[in-house]
Amino acid sequence: MELRAFSRLAAPAAAALLALTTACTGGPVQGRPGASGLRDPYFPKAGNGGYQVDHYALDLDYDPADGELRATAVITARAEQGLSSFNLDLSGLKVEGVSVQGEPARHNRTGNELTVRPADDLKKGEVFRVEVDYGGKPLTIADRDGAKEGWIPTEGRPPGGAVGVGEPVGSMAWFPGNHHPSDKATYDITLTVPHGYEAVSNGELRSRTDTGDGRTEFAWHSPEPMASYLATAVVGPYKVTTGKTPSGVTVYNAVAPGEVAASEGALARLPEVMEWAGGRFGPYPFTTTGAIVLPKGSLTYALETQTRPVFSGAPAEEDLVVHELAHQWFGDSVSPKSWKDMWLNEGFATYAEWLWSEDHGGHTAEEYFRAFLTGDTDVDEDAGSDWAGFPPAAPPGPEYISGYPVYYRGAMVLHRIRQEVGDAEFFSLVRGWAADHRHGNASTADFTAYAEERTGHDLKEVWDVWLYGKDRPR
């Protein structure tokens, strides 16, 4: 691929810019460095201190033939302290230039940290704009549990494509940012790809434009706040279909050619699942929905990327569609404050599967609960798993945040609440939690306090035994 000019910094000024980035900033220092990491209990270097991001504008130019990404990220943020410097998370890729408030800024790289030193200190409360031009071949990152995230090439013809996914920290492989779920922002993601390819991301497709040079530009807009790990960028020769749910929510599905027939049944029920979930959990928190079905084997998991979950191959069961769509309420709209709160994502989504079964003539949630207590794999094949191996609110390390207890014991915590307070109070709690924390972040402590206040019940035994207890509950 031809080396393209910087999208917002004129190419003739590149040499001058590189010289300026090594210059010293004069004048007295009014701020102090922002922290390089938010001390998350499992990913202490994820995210950065001293600022909050309001908006990301990502301009991504990708050619699957050579795997090269040329990109510009424009980040609008607010300083929470006086800043002499601040950090962005970025793994791999070469930084070509950085500016802050329109002025060239010094920068340096150490590992996954891009440290930026503005020409002038930023004042507390100041809204600032940082622009990063960067490129190269994005990395695929191995999680602590062995799964892959980041930027992952996918198979197919013409030469494949790629998917960008980020749970928990993989988004730093394809754009610089404050990559921790506690810092949510709105997004505009523009993807430019060769003719013959579709480019799919989160939110609403604002435009699809022929650039006149054998490429197509897709402009996507996400008006609701989104944690960066929920952002996605997918490129490939996908079949796109659109529609509406009965409630009028736009549906946008993109399916790899080899997965179209196998996906039809599960995706045909997506509008029905959406309507059911709205009845159980309250109004849908976004303006669009849909699914992205990758070539089979692209990933080893499905992911609740905001408004448009990603599936690796056709969803084998409708339960998986229910799970990922339930995340739009629990995990996407109500996002965790830290990765220690992962059970609030997965426990709710797993319990949604049990509720779907209960409401559609299958096993009841009570039957699932008792199956896990007794190890009855006839009801659920995972009932024989080590679902009680650790407290769901306290996984022993980052490699366990997607472990069985987070999903199944997390769901059992919710059912224990239901047993204690009754159906009316329980479903009022679920809908209230989704509504009162809509588009925000919440911790386990927030949930336990909210549950007791909302229901008026003392739930200490549930927390002590099921949520935090180290022994197997009985």
Side-chain angles (χ1 to χ4, degrees):
M1 174 180 170
E2 179 183 348
L3 185 65
R4 296 165 65 94
F6 299 161
S7 58
R8 292 183 176 84
L9 293 176
L17 172 61
L18 292 174
L20 283 168
T21 58
T22 61
C24 295
T25 302
V29 175
Q30 301 297 320
R32 65 185 191 277
S36 59
L38 292 177
R39 293 190 174 89
D40 183 275
Y42 298 132
F43 300 93
K45 296 298 288 183
N48 301 285
Y51 66 94
Q52 287 280 308
V53 177
D54 294 329
H55 184 71
Y56 290 91
L58 307 178
D59 190 349
L60 311 175
D61 190 319
Y62 183 69
D63 191 340
D66 60 15
E68 289 282 333
L69 177 71
R70 293 290 298 167
T72 297
V74 179
I75 303 167
T76 304
R78 183 181 300 274
E80 296 190 316
Q81 65 180 57
L83 287 171
S84 58
S85 67
F86 59 90
N87 282 36
L88 298 169
D89 303 315
L90 182 65
S91 181
L93 300 172
K94 182 180 179 181
V95 175
E96 305 286 355
V98 181
S99 67
V100 178
Q101 303 295 54
E103 297 293 330
R106 293 184 298 154
H107 60 276
N108 66 277
R109 299 285 297 278
T110 304
N112 296 328
E113 299 290 337
L114 170 62
T115 302
V116 178
R117 295 174 177 81
D120 297 306
D121 286 1
L122 300 169
K123 298 176 182 178
K124 182 178 180 180
E126 183 176 353
V127 175
F128 64 96
R129 182 176 180 268
V130 55
E131 184 170 323
V132 182
D133 281 284
Y134 62 101
K137 292 187 176 181
L139 298 175
T140 298
I141 297 172
D143 287 346
R144 292 288 292 272
D145 63 3
K148 294 179 179 179
E149 54 174 316
W151 192 267
I152 300 166
T154 55
E155 295 182 356
R157 294 184 178 181
V163 55
V165 287
E167 188 178 66
V169 294
S171 294
M172 66 180 177
W174 52 284
F175 68 96
N178 201 20
H179 291 300
H180 189 268
S182 62
D183 191 1
K184 301 171 75 168
T186 57
Y187 281 72
D188 283 285
I189 299 178
T190 300
L191 292 155
T192 303
V193 296
H195 284 340
Y197 289 86
E198 298 291 327
V200 188
S201 189
N202 314 86
E204 308 160 4
L205 180 61
R206 285 287 182 85
S207 64
R208 174 182 180 139
T209 307
D210 185 337
T211 63
D213 58 354
R215 302 175 71 77
T216 308
E217 177 189 275
F218 297 78
W220 292 89
H221 176 64
S222 294
E224 303 93 1
M226 177 166 67
S228 66
Y229 81 92
L230 298 169
T232 191
V234 177
V235 176
Y238 289 85
K239 178 182 178 181
V240 171
T241 59
T242 60
K244 296 276 188 182
T245 69
S247 295
V249 177
T250 299
V251 179
Y252 189 106
N253 294 328
V255 182
E259 304 297 331
V260 171
S263 298
E264 284 181 352
L267 296 187
R269 298 202 73 177
L270 189 150
E272 178 189 354
V273 174
M274 287 288 297
E275 294 300 296
W276 169 83
R280 277 300 195 190
F281 310 138
Y284 182 59
F286 305 108
T287 56
T288 65
T289 187
I292 300 168
V293 181
L294 307 173
K296 187 176 182 179
S298 299
L299 303 172
T300 57
Y301 54 87
L303 186 64
E304 62 270 21
T305 44
Q306 191 157 302
T307 69
R308 200 153 289 114
V310 168
F311 299 92
S312 186
E317 300 175 352
E318 65 188 32
D319 285 357
L320 184 58
V321 176
V322 172
H323 186 102
E324 302 307 331
L325 290 178
H327 271 310
Q328 305 306 305
W329 283 261
F330 308 109
D332 294 15
S333 177
V334 186
S335 301
K337 280 186 178 177
S338 83
W339 287 110
K340 194 171 185 178
D341 303 309
M342 185 76 156
W343 82 274
L344 287 170
N345 293 17
E346 301 301 346
F348 268 102
T350 301
Y351 199 67
E353 294 181 54
W354 296 1
L355 292 176
W356 171 265
S357 173
E358 180 176 298
D359 290 348
H360 291 81
H363 292 294
T364 65
E366 177 70 17
E367 288 171 335
Y368 278 110
F369 178 82
R370 294 194 177 278
F372 276 86
L373 277 180
T374 61
D376 185 353
T377 55
D378 289 336
V379 173
D380 191 309
E381 63 181 14
D382 287 329
S385 68
D386 188 19
W387 60 265
F390 57 81
E399 64 271 32
Y400 294 98
I401 64 171
S402 294
Y404 286 113
V406 172
Y407 287 68
Y408 295 115
R409 189 166 163 181
M412 295 170 85
V413 169
L414 297 174
H415 193 70
R416 280 292 295 119
I417 298 171
R418 184 180 176 184
Q419 290 175 330
E420 290 290 323
V421 307
D423 280 11
E425 291 288 351
F426 176 75
F427 288 109
S428 174
L429 162 64
V430 170
R431 288 189 293 270
W433 176 252
D436 292 346
H437 296 81
R438 183 182 176 98
H439 301 316
N441 293 85
S443 67
T444 299
D446 293 329
F447 177 75
T448 57
Y450 185 89
E452 296 199 352
E453 179 181 357
R454 182 86 181 195
T455 66
H457 284 252
D458 181 355
L459 298 169
K460 183 176 186 300
E461 184 178 356
V462 176
W463 314 141
D464 289 349
V465 175
W466 290 88
L467 188 56
Y468 290 106
K470 294 182 180 179
D471 297 330
R472 180 187 176 93
R474 300 187 185 279

